[in-house]
Amino acid sequence: MSALALSSSPRRWLALAALTLSVLIVGLDGTVINVALPTMAGELPADSSQLQWIGGGYLLALSVAMLPVGLLGDRYGHKRLLLSGIGLFAVASLGGALADSPVEVIAARAVLGLGAAAIMPLSMAILPRLFAKEELPKAVAVWTAATALGMPVGPVVGGWLLDHFWWGSVFLFNLPVAALALLAGLWLLPRDERHARTAPFDLLGTVLGGLGVVALVYGTILIPQDGWTSPSVLASLAAAAALLPAFVLHERRTARPIVDLKLFTDRRFLWGTLIAVFVNFAVMGILFVLPQYLQAVLGNDALGTGLRVLPLIGGLMAAATLSESVVPRLGVRTVVPFGLALLSAGALLGATTDAADGYGFTALWLSLTGLGFGLAVVPATSLVMGALPTDHTGSGTSLLETVQQLGSVLGVAGLGSLLGYGYLARLDTGSLPRGAADAARDSVSGADAVALQLHDAGLTASAHGAFVHGMNLVLMACGAIALLAAVLAARFLPGRSTCSRTVAGSVPEHAESVA
């Protein structure tokens, strides 16, 4: 069925379900593997460096492949490459389940990253072909909820699997979900449109962009272990600082770039993308510290932790439903800043957490955060989608996803350092032997293990209080970022008249240029 016919058919909602299923497996895989790492460390076995690269290899592959995959989708078909990505994800999952060494697991995770790099931008690129502009925000809301749902559900699934099966089951779980997404996509997604493919591929731009992204992501992966001032980190970040500007300069000069940087001259794309980056920065920071708090301080297992993060998704779903009716009446310049203000208020409320507080207080500020998250990110993403040329949606969504990915990676690295600073500033290890003190300073879970061995309730209280202090610093930073984004959104996002013309289809490409 063609995209034009499908946009008026009830099957478009089934097609959306197929797309959300594909992004859901990516979200689930990312958090399920984190739950499995301690078990894998003992059963493979794997040392700390290998465990780091089980996650780091995935991030590198995902980041480097996401930039050119959109252009490939525009040339060779979004559906074809999306289904190829899902198939690759399934094959890599099987490889991970059958692996019997850390090196094999790292390789499987890298291939999973390549599959995810195709799934994320191309599934988004298909949305405008399924839905008319009036329905696109609703579709974006559902797609966004699916990407976020994997974050809390992953630990629930992972905890249950590890309680009943061996560690490889966290990979094997992907197979039936990927198979269902593949079959549904084959049946429901519109067939690819034919495009001319005579223009040469921008190989130099691909190499410059890929190396620049690898250098940036590699450097941030090393930060938790080596520190910001280590030679390896500084060298990687310096290489990124040289390569990425060279990539931008080349893309501006070449006639056939892999990404259209002229999109940033459109206010809708520029500010919608920046707002999405700010939102993801804040939410990823919250999701970085929250599971550790729920497990280490409140004492929940992986299953309980996943369930207790669900208020964030509840708030997101409520906001997605609300934004559909509110945005057409009030406009994105009103709704997005209000959502960002709610997100900021939730994070700043969370920053007042005390070590003695229970989960009820966490559920309160987390629900507020989720509501603000949804009210901000759904209209901002819809605004970006409305700015994309119809024949280059893949390149546009790849650019959006890559920028968000890099922002999230850098954000987690910076906020992780802030968490460590706050933790060490309040931790009292004065009476501990050197080895025990080093273990306690390494992490709050390490401090709990030392306290259990030494029967030292004072160390437990000190570690929990120190972690909460560090978490509060992170939440304050997330709240400040969201508040800054709210001010920028209120100032620079296009008004209601621009959005209404966009929906009506009367605004030409790049018409809303930046003054």
Side-chain angles (χ1 to χ4, degrees), residues 381-427:
T381 305
S382 299
L383 197 64
V384 170
M385 297 298 292
L388 299 180
T390 55
D391 56 343
H392 291 91
T393 54
S395 298
T397 53
S398 280
L399 183 57
L400 170 64
E401 289 288 324
T402 300
V403 172
Q404 289 188 120
Q405 176 69 23
L406 294 180
S408 297
V409 169
L410 289 172
V412 169
L415 294 173
S417 298
L418 183 60
L419 173 66
Y421 167 79
Y423 174 70
L424 293 176
R426 293 290 180 90
L427 182 66

Short mmCIF file of all heavy atoms in Angstrom, two decimals, residues 381-427:
data_model
loop_
_atom_site.label_atom_id
_atom_site.label_comp_id
_atom_site.label_asym_id
_atom_site.label_seq_id
_atom_site.Cartn_x
_atom_site.Cartn_y
_atom_site.Cartn_z
N THR A 381 9.57 17.87 18.97
CA THR A 381 9.88 16.89 17.93
C THR A 381 8.94 17.03 16.74
O THR A 381 9.36 16.92 15.57
CB THR A 381 9.80 15.46 18.50
OG1 THR A 381 10.65 15.36 19.64
CG2 THR A 381 10.24 14.44 17.47
N SER A 382 7.66 17.28 17.00
CA SER A 382 6.71 17.49 15.91
C SER A 382 7.09 18.71 15.08
O SER A 382 6.94 18.72 13.85
CB SER A 382 5.30 17.67 16.47
OG SER A 382 4.88 16.52 17.18
N LEU A 383 7.60 19.74 15.74
CA LEU A 383 8.03 20.95 15.04
C LEU A 383 9.20 20.62 14.11
O LEU A 383 9.24 21.08 12.96
CB LEU A 383 8.45 22.01 16.06
CG LEU A 383 8.56 23.46 15.58
CD1 LEU A 383 7.20 23.98 15.15
CD2 LEU A 383 9.15 24.32 16.68
N VAL A 384 10.14 19.83 14.59
CA VAL A 384 11.28 19.42 13.77
C VAL A 384 10.80 18.61 12.56
O VAL A 384 11.24 18.84 11.43
CB VAL A 384 12.28 18.60 14.61
CG1 VAL A 384 13.34 17.97 13.71
CG2 VAL A 384 12.94 19.48 15.65
N MET A 385 9.89 17.68 12.81
CA MET A 385 9.40 16.84 11.71
C MET A 385 8.71 17.67 10.64
O MET A 385 8.80 17.38 9.45
CB MET A 385 8.44 15.79 12.25
CG MET A 385 9.06 14.80 13.23
SD MET A 385 10.37 13.82 12.49
CE MET A 385 9.44 12.83 11.34
N GLY A 386 8.02 18.73 11.05
CA GLY A 386 7.35 19.59 10.10
C GLY A 386 8.29 20.41 9.24
O GLY A 386 7.90 20.94 8.21
N ALA A 387 9.56 20.51 9.67
CA ALA A 387 10.54 21.29 8.92
C ALA A 387 11.30 20.46 7.91
O ALA A 387 12.06 21.02 7.11
CB ALA A 387 11.53 21.94 9.89
N LEU A 388 11.12 19.13 7.90
CA LEU A 388 11.94 18.27 7.05
C LEU A 388 11.38 18.21 5.63
O LEU A 388 10.17 18.04 5.44
CB LEU A 388 12.01 16.85 7.63
CG LEU A 388 12.62 16.72 9.02
CD1 LEU A 388 12.63 15.27 9.45
CD2 LEU A 388 14.03 17.30 9.06
N PRO A 389 12.23 18.30 4.61
CA PRO A 389 11.79 18.09 3.24
C PRO A 389 11.26 16.68 3.07
O PRO A 389 11.81 15.73 3.65
CB PRO A 389 13.06 18.31 2.40
CG PRO A 389 14.01 19.02 3.31
CD PRO A 389 13.67 18.60 4.70
N THR A 390 10.23 16.51 2.28
CA THR A 390 9.58 15.20 2.17
C THR A 390 10.50 14.13 1.58
O THR A 390 10.34 12.94 1.88
CB THR A 390 8.32 15.31 1.31
OG1 THR A 390 8.68 15.87 0.03
CG2 THR A 390 7.28 16.20 1.98
N ASP A 391 11.46 14.52 0.75
CA ASP A 391 12.33 13.53 0.13
C ASP A 391 13.65 13.35 0.87
O ASP A 391 14.52 12.61 0.41
CB ASP A 391 12.61 13.90 -1.33
CG ASP A 391 13.21 15.29 -1.48
OD1 ASP A 391 13.11 16.07 -0.52
OD2 ASP A 391 13.77 15.58 -2.55
N HIS A 392 13.83 14.04 2.01
CA HIS A 392 15.05 13.89 2.79
C HIS A 392 14.74 13.75 4.29
O HIS A 392 15.50 14.23 5.13
CB HIS A 392 16.00 15.08 2.57
CG HIS A 392 16.60 15.14 1.21
ND1 HIS A 392 16.01 15.82 0.17
CD2 HIS A 392 17.71 14.56 0.69
CE1 HIS A 392 16.75 15.68 -0.93
NE2 HIS A 392 17.79 14.92 -0.63
N THR A 393 13.64 13.08 4.60
CA THR A 393 13.30 12.93 6.02
C THR A 393 14.32 12.07 6.76
O THR A 393 14.59 12.29 7.94
CB THR A 393 11.90 12.32 6.18
OG1 THR A 393 11.84 11.09 5.44
CG2 THR A 393 10.83 13.26 5.69
N GLY A 394 14.90 11.08 6.07
CA GLY A 394 15.89 10.23 6.73
C GLY A 394 17.12 11.00 7.16
O GLY A 394 17.61 10.86 8.28
N SER A 395 17.64 11.85 6.28
CA SER A 395 18.80 12.67 6.63
C SER A 395 18.49 13.60 7.79
O SER A 395 19.31 13.80 8.69
CB SER A 395 19.24 13.49 5.41
OG SER A 395 19.62 12.67 4.35
N GLY A 396 17.28 14.17 7.78
CA GLY A 396 16.90 15.09 8.86
C GLY A 396 16.77 14.39 10.19
O GLY A 396 17.25 14.88 11.22
N THR A 397 16.11 13.22 10.22
CA THR A 397 15.96 12.51 11.49
C THR A 397 17.29 11.95 11.98
O THR A 397 17.53 11.88 13.18
CB THR A 397 14.93 11.37 11.36
OG1 THR A 397 15.28 10.52 10.26
CG2 THR A 397 13.53 11.93 11.14
N SER A 398 18.18 11.56 11.05
CA SER A 398 19.52 11.12 11.46
C SER A 398 20.28 12.25 12.14
O SER A 398 20.95 12.04 13.16
CB SER A 398 20.31 10.62 10.25
OG SER A 398 19.95 9.32 9.91
N LEU A 399 20.18 13.45 11.56
CA LEU A 399 20.85 14.60 12.16
C LEU A 399 20.27 14.89 13.54
O LEU A 399 21.02 15.12 14.51
CB LEU A 399 20.69 15.82 11.25
CG LEU A 399 21.38 17.10 11.68
CD1 LEU A 399 22.87 16.90 11.88
CD2 LEU A 399 21.12 18.22 10.65
N LEU A 400 18.94 14.87 13.67
CA LEU A 400 18.30 15.10 14.96
C LEU A 400 18.74 14.06 15.99
O LEU A 400 19.14 14.40 17.11
CB LEU A 400 16.78 15.05 14.79
CG LEU A 400 15.94 15.04 16.07
CD1 LEU A 400 16.12 16.33 16.86
CD2 LEU A 400 14.47 14.80 15.74
N GLU A 401 18.68 12.78 15.62
CA GLU A 401 19.02 11.71 16.56
C GLU A 401 20.50 11.75 16.94
O GLU A 401 20.87 11.48 18.08
CB GLU A 401 18.67 10.36 15.95
CG GLU A 401 17.19 10.08 15.85
CD GLU A 401 16.56 9.81 17.20
OE1 GLU A 401 17.21 9.19 18.06
OE2 GLU A 401 15.41 10.23 17.40
N THR A 402 21.37 12.08 15.97
CA THR A 402 22.81 12.14 16.28
C THR A 402 23.12 13.25 17.26
O THR A 402 23.88 13.06 18.22
CB THR A 402 23.62 12.33 14.99
OG1 THR A 402 23.37 11.24 14.10
CG2 THR A 402 25.11 12.40 15.28
N VAL A 403 22.54 14.43 17.03
CA VAL A 403 22.77 15.55 17.93
C VAL A 403 22.26 15.22 19.33
O VAL A 403 22.93 15.50 20.34
CB VAL A 403 22.09 16.83 17.39
CG1 VAL A 403 22.15 17.95 18.41
CG2 VAL A 403 22.77 17.28 16.09
N GLN A 404 21.08 14.61 19.40
CA GLN A 404 20.54 14.23 20.71
C GLN A 404 21.42 13.18 21.38
O GLN A 404 21.65 13.23 22.60
CB GLN A 404 19.11 13.69 20.55
CG GLN A 404 18.10 14.74 20.20
CD GLN A 404 16.68 14.19 20.24
OE1 GLN A 404 15.84 14.66 20.98
NE2 GLN A 404 16.42 13.18 19.44
N GLN A 405 21.90 12.21 20.61
CA GLN A 405 22.75 11.16 21.16
C GLN A 405 24.04 11.74 21.74
O GLN A 405 24.45 11.39 22.86
CB GLN A 405 23.07 10.14 20.07
CG GLN A 405 24.03 9.03 20.49
CD GLN A 405 23.43 8.08 21.50
OE1 GLN A 405 22.21 7.97 21.60
NE2 GLN A 405 24.28 7.41 22.26
N LEU A 406 24.68 12.62 20.99
CA LEU A 406 25.92 13.22 21.48
C LEU A 406 25.66 14.08 22.71
O LEU A 406 26.46 14.08 23.66
CB LEU A 406 26.57 14.06 20.38
CG LEU A 406 27.07 13.28 19.15
CD1 LEU A 406 27.70 14.23 18.15
CD2 LEU A 406 28.07 12.22 19.57
N GLY A 407 24.55 14.82 22.71
CA GLY A 407 24.21 15.60 23.89
C GLY A 407 23.99 14.74 25.11
O GLY A 407 24.43 15.08 26.23
N SER A 408 23.33 13.60 24.92
CA SER A 408 23.07 12.69 26.04
C SER A 408 24.37 12.09 26.58
O SER A 408 24.58 11.99 27.79
CB SER A 408 22.13 11.57 25.60
OG SER A 408 20.87 12.08 25.23
N VAL A 409 25.27 11.69 25.66
CA VAL A 409 26.55 11.09 26.08
C VAL A 409 27.37 12.09 26.88
O VAL A 409 27.91 11.77 27.95
CB VAL A 409 27.33 10.59 24.85
CG1 VAL A 409 28.76 10.22 25.22
CG2 VAL A 409 26.63 9.40 24.22
N LEU A 410 27.47 13.31 26.37
CA LEU A 410 28.23 14.34 27.08
C LEU A 410 27.56 14.70 28.40
O LEU A 410 28.23 14.94 29.41
CB LEU A 410 28.37 15.58 26.20
CG LEU A 410 29.31 15.45 25.00
CD1 LEU A 410 29.20 16.68 24.10
CD2 LEU A 410 30.75 15.25 25.45
N GLY A 411 26.23 14.75 28.38
CA GLY A 411 25.51 15.09 29.60
C GLY A 411 25.72 14.08 30.70
O GLY A 411 25.99 14.44 31.86
N VAL A 412 25.63 12.79 30.36
CA VAL A 412 25.82 11.75 31.36
C VAL A 412 27.25 11.78 31.90
O VAL A 412 27.48 11.59 33.10
CB VAL A 412 25.47 10.37 30.78
CG1 VAL A 412 25.92 9.25 31.72
CG2 VAL A 412 23.98 10.26 30.52
N ALA A 413 28.23 12.05 31.02
CA ALA A 413 29.62 12.13 31.48
C ALA A 413 29.80 13.29 32.46
O ALA A 413 30.40 13.15 33.53
CB ALA A 413 30.55 12.30 30.29
N GLY A 414 29.27 14.47 32.09
CA GLY A 414 29.41 15.63 32.97
C GLY A 414 28.64 15.47 34.26
O GLY A 414 29.17 15.77 35.35
N LEU A 415 27.41 14.98 34.18
CA LEU A 415 26.61 14.82 35.39
C LEU A 415 27.14 13.68 36.25
O LEU A 415 27.02 13.72 37.48
CB LEU A 415 25.15 14.57 35.00
CG LEU A 415 24.46 15.76 34.33
CD1 LEU A 415 23.07 15.37 33.84
CD2 LEU A 415 24.37 16.95 35.27
N GLY A 416 27.73 12.67 35.60
CA GLY A 416 28.36 11.60 36.38
C GLY A 416 29.52 12.13 37.21
O GLY A 416 29.72 11.73 38.36
N SER A 417 30.30 13.03 36.62
CA SER A 417 31.40 13.65 37.37
C SER A 417 30.87 14.50 38.51
O SER A 417 31.44 14.51 39.62
CB SER A 417 32.25 14.51 36.43
OG SER A 417 32.84 13.73 35.42
N LEU A 418 29.75 15.20 38.28
CA LEU A 418 29.14 16.00 39.34
C LEU A 418 28.64 15.12 40.47
O LEU A 418 28.80 15.45 41.65
CB LEU A 418 28.00 16.83 38.75
CG LEU A 418 27.28 17.79 39.69
CD1 LEU A 418 28.26 18.84 40.25
CD2 LEU A 418 26.12 18.48 38.98
N LEU A 419 28.04 13.98 40.12
CA LEU A 419 27.59 13.04 41.14
C LEU A 419 28.76 12.54 41.98
O LEU A 419 28.69 12.48 43.21
CB LEU A 419 26.87 11.86 40.47
CG LEU A 419 26.47 10.70 41.38
CD1 LEU A 419 25.40 11.14 42.38
CD2 LEU A 419 25.96 9.52 40.54
N GLY A 420 29.87 12.17 41.30
CA GLY A 420 31.04 11.70 42.03
C GLY A 420 31.63 12.76 42.94
O GLY A 420 32.03 12.46 44.08
N TYR A 421 31.66 13.99 42.47
CA TYR A 421 32.16 15.11 43.30
C TYR A 421 31.31 15.27 44.56
O TYR A 421 31.83 15.39 45.67
CB TYR A 421 32.16 16.39 42.48
CG TYR A 421 32.36 17.63 43.31
CD1 TYR A 421 33.62 18.02 43.75
CD2 TYR A 421 31.27 18.42 43.69
CE1 TYR A 421 33.80 19.14 44.53
CE2 TYR A 421 31.44 19.56 44.46
CZ TYR A 421 32.70 19.91 44.88
OH TYR A 421 32.87 21.03 45.67
N GLY A 422 29.98 15.29 44.38
CA GLY A 422 29.11 15.46 45.53
C GLY A 422 29.21 14.30 46.51
O GLY A 422 29.15 14.49 47.73
N TYR A 423 29.35 13.11 45.98
CA TYR A 423 29.45 11.91 46.84
C TYR A 423 30.73 11.95 47.67
O TYR A 423 30.70 11.75 48.90
CB TYR A 423 29.40 10.67 45.96
CG TYR A 423 29.63 9.37 46.69
CD1 TYR A 423 28.68 8.87 47.57
CD2 TYR A 423 30.79 8.63 46.47
CE1 TYR A 423 28.89 7.66 48.23
CE2 TYR A 423 31.01 7.43 47.13
CZ TYR A 423 30.05 6.94 48.01
OH TYR A 423 30.26 5.76 48.66
N LEU A 424 31.85 12.21 47.03
CA LEU A 424 33.12 12.21 47.74
C LEU A 424 33.22 13.37 48.73
O LEU A 424 33.90 13.26 49.76
CB LEU A 424 34.28 12.27 46.75
CG LEU A 424 34.46 11.03 45.86
CD1 LEU A 424 35.57 11.26 44.86
CD2 LEU A 424 34.74 9.80 46.71
N ALA A 425 32.54 14.48 48.42
CA ALA A 425 32.61 15.65 49.30
C ALA A 425 31.97 15.38 50.66
O ALA A 425 32.35 16.01 51.65
CB ALA A 425 31.94 16.84 48.63
N ARG A 426 31.00 14.49 50.71
CA ARG A 426 30.28 14.24 51.97
C ARG A 426 30.60 12.89 52.62
O ARG A 426 30.18 12.64 53.75
CB ARG A 426 28.77 14.30 51.70
CG ARG A 426 28.26 15.69 51.32
CD ARG A 426 28.30 16.63 52.50
NE ARG A 426 27.82 17.96 52.16
CZ ARG A 426 26.54 18.33 52.27
NH1 ARG A 426 25.62 17.48 52.69
NH2 ARG A 426 26.18 19.56 51.94
N LEU A 427 31.32 12.00 51.91
CA LEU A 427 31.58 10.66 52.45
C LEU A 427 32.66 10.73 53.52
O LEU A 427 33.72 11.31 53.33
CB LEU A 427 32.02 9.74 51.32
CG LEU A 427 32.29 8.28 51.72
CD1 LEU A 427 31.00 7.61 52.17
CD2 LEU A 427 32.92 7.52 50.56
#
